[in-house]
Amino acid sequence: MRRYSPGMSDPGPPRVFVYGTLLPGERNAHVAARGFTVRPATLRGFTLHHLHPEGYPALSPGPADAAVRGAVLTYDPPAWEAALPCLDDLEGLHDSPPLYTRQLASLQVDGGEDLTAWVYVYARADRLRAPGASVVPSGDWRDVPDRDQPGADGR
């Protein structure tokens, strides 16, 4: 899996897999902006966690048979250039230490097509072992009952 680093010359595909507050209809969907198509998709080999009191999900590498449900947003190039800095900011990519990292991953779009897309992976593994971090058994953020309650950091 290739990880984004500042100054990369190849920006990768204009696609991002979203699995939590950026999903259409969720509280941060507006950050994703416009100029994209949405397709339901599954990311395998990752585990989805719910963080409380933060109120947002965290994605971490998991067993090969683990699956996370979400959507792939495919942007037209000008919209991608406009949306990507906003997405990176929301995900704390440039925080010190970073909250998430952006990595390329393979996923499967409903219907069977395999795609490569960017995905935000939680970067603070120690937090996932602390109280208030729970695995979402279904792998679908929309199954979390209190997901619409933003945490203290407003994410």
Side-chain angles (χ1 to χ4, degrees):
M1 185 176 312
R2 190 174 73 162
R3 183 178 288 183
Y4 163 81
S5 60
M8 281 181 77
S9 59
D10 175 10
R15 288 186 289 273
V16 63
F17 177 76
V18 296
Y19 51 85
T21 68
L22 287 165
L23 284 164
E26 296 296 329
R27 70 175 181 263
N28 287 323
H30 65 279
V31 175
R34 291 180 275 217
F36 58 82
T37 58
V38 180
R39 295 167 68 190
T42 301
L43 177 66
R44 300 201 184 284
F46 287 86
T47 299
L48 185 65
H49 308 263
H50 172 61
L51 301 180
H52 183 77
E54 293 93 329
Y56 51 78
L59 186 74
S60 68
D65 62 344
V68 175
R69 291 289 299 155
V72 62
L73 311 181
T74 302
Y75 287 83
D76 62 51
W80 179 243
E81 287 179 29
L84 188 57
C86 299
L87 295 168
D88 284 352
D89 285 346
L90 176 72
E91 302 295 1
L93 197 73
H94 304 295
D95 291 1
S96 186
L99 189 58
Y100 291 81
T101 61
R102 181 164 38 93
Q103 302 174 13
L104 283 174
S106 296
L107 53 97
Q108 190 170 55
V109 176
D110 287 10
E113 181 183 359
D114 291 326
L115 287 178
T116 299
W118 290 107
V119 62
Y120 290 94
V121 178
Y122 196 67
R124 299 179 183 172
D126 57 326
R127 173 63 185 99
L128 298 178
R129 295 184 294 273
S134 58
V135 171
V136 178
S138 68
D140 192 329
W141 172 251
R142 293 161 286 207
D143 292 338
V144 174
D146 62 347
R147 72 181 189 278
D148 60 345
Q149 303 300 312
D153 67 1
R155 285 191 161 101

